Amino acid sequence: SLLAPQALTPAEVSRSLNPNEALVGYFSADKAWYGYTLSGGQLRFFTLDAVGLEEDVADFRDALKRRRRSANELGEALYDRLLRPMVTGLQGKDLLIVPYGSLHYLPFAALRGEGKFLIEGRALRFLPSAALAGLLRNPQTIPIQKLLVLGNPDLGKPELDLPSAQVEAQSLYQKFSSRSELFVRRAASETLVKQRGGEFSHIHLASHGEFSADNPLGSRLKLAADTNNDGMLTVDEIYALQLQAQMVVLSACETGLGQVTSGDDVIGLTRGFLYAGARNVVSSLWEVDDEATSLLFQYMYEALGQGRSPRQALAQAQARLLKEKPHPFYWAAFFLSGSGL
């Protein structure tokens, strides 16, 4: 169904939404851009100003990655174009966002409107296509039952070592020691993920990620190699995994990027893990700061341990981190795709 999903009616999509959640989506036709919302069973359409939109999204991403002060101003301008026309009926609601085109690379959490970031006071989740909305529904949030933690795999080059990722992994293991298994350096292997990934309710991978625009199915997570595998866990290999994970966290750089196809879906690591059976995938849009990432996931797992849903846990962690590190560069790169529960 994830490979060739069937179109859903608005009523079917509405039933798939989580409590207090509205859908916000985008599409284009005849060079014009449109937005739509589905809230309270009511579907509405809006014409949007898309002149120079791709360039503005690129400028916003660049300002965020360079930690420029202008990022907030650019985020406010994009909010005015993409969300302000549709805010009726969305106040106080969590959002399921279905991007389109260049918006797949837009960190919606960092958009600013009404004097605050979009992430403040609400949880966000994303899907690469609205047709997937009814396929990933969970009846309830599943607590952390068995957690697989991989960190700082040995990639054979000292310059690729990630000491902070190892600290992050060890800290996470200590927090859930009775329910987790930790593998670092040579033990953090591609073979391990392939052979045992299906055993775990939650998976955390702290390593390098690499997006290939020329060959999206070749985008990869870099893990330790052994005699069975080369350590490059590519998207096409992820498609072959059999997972039952409530949540897969890709604590790596650019793991949320992918190639937008002509049907406006995204081929990349996120979709690969959803196809493999993960209900939720947390991934990133740019090269992230090690210290901030470690703090973000510390806060997120604290919230998960308190019974928060995956989407609520990430939103709570981002809102908490922005109080310590206000610039969105530090917390807005990560986003959640999937059921949200």
Side-chain angles (χ1 to χ4, degrees), residues 228-340:
N228 296 315
N229 290 281
D230 63 3
M232 301 294 109
L233 183 62
T234 61
V235 172
D236 54 357
E237 291 176 310
I238 293 169
Y239 269 70
L241 298 178
Q242 297 291 324
L243 303 180
Q244 302 181 57
Q246 169 77 4
M247 191 174 189
V248 173
V249 175
L250 305 178
S251 179
C253 300
E254 300 185 340
T255 50
L257 299 183
Q259 183 183 65
V260 181
T261 67
S262 58
D264 190 58
D265 205 342
V266 172
I267 300 173
L269 292 167
T270 296
R271 186 174 177 86
F273 277 104
L274 291 175
Y275 182 86
R279 290 293 179 177
N280 296 281
V281 180
V282 174
S283 49
S284 59
L285 288 169
W286 58 77
E287 187 172 347
V288 290
D289 177 81
D290 288 345
E291 179 185 355
T293 298
S294 182
L295 279 173
L296 178 73
F297 287 131
Q298 175 185 325
Y299 298 156
M300 187 186 77
Y301 280 101
E302 284 181 12
L304 287 172
Q306 295 166 358
R308 301 289 191 273
S309 69
R311 77 183 195 281
Q312 292 169 336
L314 179 60
Q316 183 173 313
Q318 289 176 311
R320 184 174 173 183
L321 186 58
L322 79 84
K323 293 179 181 179
E324 302 174 34
K325 296 180 178 291
H327 198 285
F329 165 79
Y330 294 102
W331 48 263
F334 286 99
F335 66 102
L336 182 143
S337 300
S339 72

Side-chain angles (χ1 to χ4, degrees), residues 33-47:
W33 274 66
Y34 303 92
Y36 61 94
T37 63
L38 180 59
S39 180
Q42 186 173 10
L43 181 65
R44 297 175 176 170
F45 293 88
F46 305 83
T47 302

Side-chain angles (χ1 to χ4, degrees), residues 14 18 29 41 49 75 90 175 190 193 294-295:
S14 185
N18 295 314
D49 172 19
L90 301 181
K175 186 175 183 63
E190 177 186 3
V193 174
S294 182
L295 279 173

Side-chain angles (χ1 to χ4, degrees), residues 30-328:
D30 298 326
K31 298 183 179 181
W33 274 66
Y34 303 92
Y36 61 94
T37 63
L38 180 59
S39 180
Q42 186 173 10
L43 181 65
R44 297 175 176 170
F45 293 88
F46 305 83
T47 302
L48 303 178
D49 172 19
V51 177
L53 182 60
E54 289 191 12
E55 292 79 4
D56 288 351
V57 169
D59 288 345
F60 182 45
R61 282 175 51 85
D62 184 67
L64 288 171
K65 290 189 286 186
R66 295 177 183 271
R67 294 173 241 192
R68 291 176 175 165
R69 293 182 179 179
S70 61
N72 285 347
E73 181 180 340
L74 294 171
E76 290 173 355
L78 284 167
Y79 179 94
D80 288 342
R81 297 175 66 178
L82 297 173
L83 285 171
R84 189 175 297 282
M86 304 191 289
V87 295
T88 302
L90 301 181
Q91 292 92 341
K93 289 185 177 292
D94 294 341
L95 298 181
L96 164 57
I97 299 175
V98 180
Y100 182 87
S102 60
L103 302 187
H104 285 288
Y105 312 121
L106 175 66
F108 278 84
L111 300 185
R112 284 181 62 86
E114 325 307 329
K116 61 183 180 180
F117 291 107
L118 186 63
I119 197 64
E120 295 184 79
R122 58 157 55 93
L124 307 178
R125 69 177 173 116
F126 296 79
L127 285 176
S129 167
L132 304 181
L135 301 176
L136 300 169
R137 177 86 174 148
N138 281 350
Q140 61 185 7
T141 295
I142 300 173
I144 296 176
Q145 299 168 340
K146 193 174 182 182
L147 170 64
L148 173 63
V149 185
L150 274 70
N152 193 22
D154 186 350
L155 302 180
K157 297 180 179 180
E159 63 269 25
L160 295 178
D161 288 353
L162 294 169
S164 60
Q166 185 162 335
V167 172
E168 173 187 321
Q170 290 169 334
S171 175
L172 185 56
Y173 170 72
Q174 290 170 0
K175 186 175 183 63
F176 298 97
S177 57
S178 64
R179 292 173 281 169
S180 64
E181 294 186 36
L182 172 67
F183 300 88
V184 299
R185 306 307 288 151
R186 291 186 180 181
S189 68
E190 177 186 3
T191 298
L192 175 70
V193 174
K194 288 182 174 179
Q195 292 181 348
R196 299 196 56 204
E199 301 175 16
F200 297 86
S201 67
H202 293 70
I203 299 173
H204 186 94
L205 304 172
S207 180
H208 288 285
E210 185 177 273
F211 168 60
S212 174
D214 296 332
N215 177 25
L217 289 176
S219 299
R220 64 197 66 190
L221 283 175
K222 296 182 178 181
L223 302 171
D226 55 26
T227 56
N228 296 315
N229 290 281
D230 63 3
M232 301 294 109
L233 183 62
T234 61
V235 172
D236 54 357
E237 291 176 310
I238 293 169
Y239 269 70
L241 298 178
Q242 297 291 324
L243 303 180
Q244 302 181 57
Q246 169 77 4
M247 191 174 189
V248 173
V249 175
L250 305 178
S251 179
C253 300
E254 300 185 340
T255 50
L257 299 183
Q259 183 183 65
V260 181
T261 67
S262 58
D264 190 58
D265 205 342
V266 172
I267 300 173
L269 292 167
T270 296
R271 186 174 177 86
F273 277 104
L274 291 175
Y275 182 86
R279 290 293 179 177
N280 296 281
V281 180
V282 174
S283 49
S284 59
L285 288 169
W286 58 77
E287 187 172 347
V288 290
D289 177 81
D290 288 345
E291 179 185 355
T293 298
S294 182
L295 279 173
L296 178 73
F297 287 131
Q298 175 185 325
Y299 298 156
M300 187 186 77
Y301 280 101
E302 284 181 12
L304 287 172
Q306 295 166 358
R308 301 289 191 273
S309 69
R311 77 183 195 281
Q312 292 169 336
L314 179 60
Q316 183 173 313
Q318 289 176 311
R320 184 174 173 183
L321 186 58
L322 79 84
K323 293 179 181 179
E324 302 174 34
K325 296 180 178 291
H327 198 285

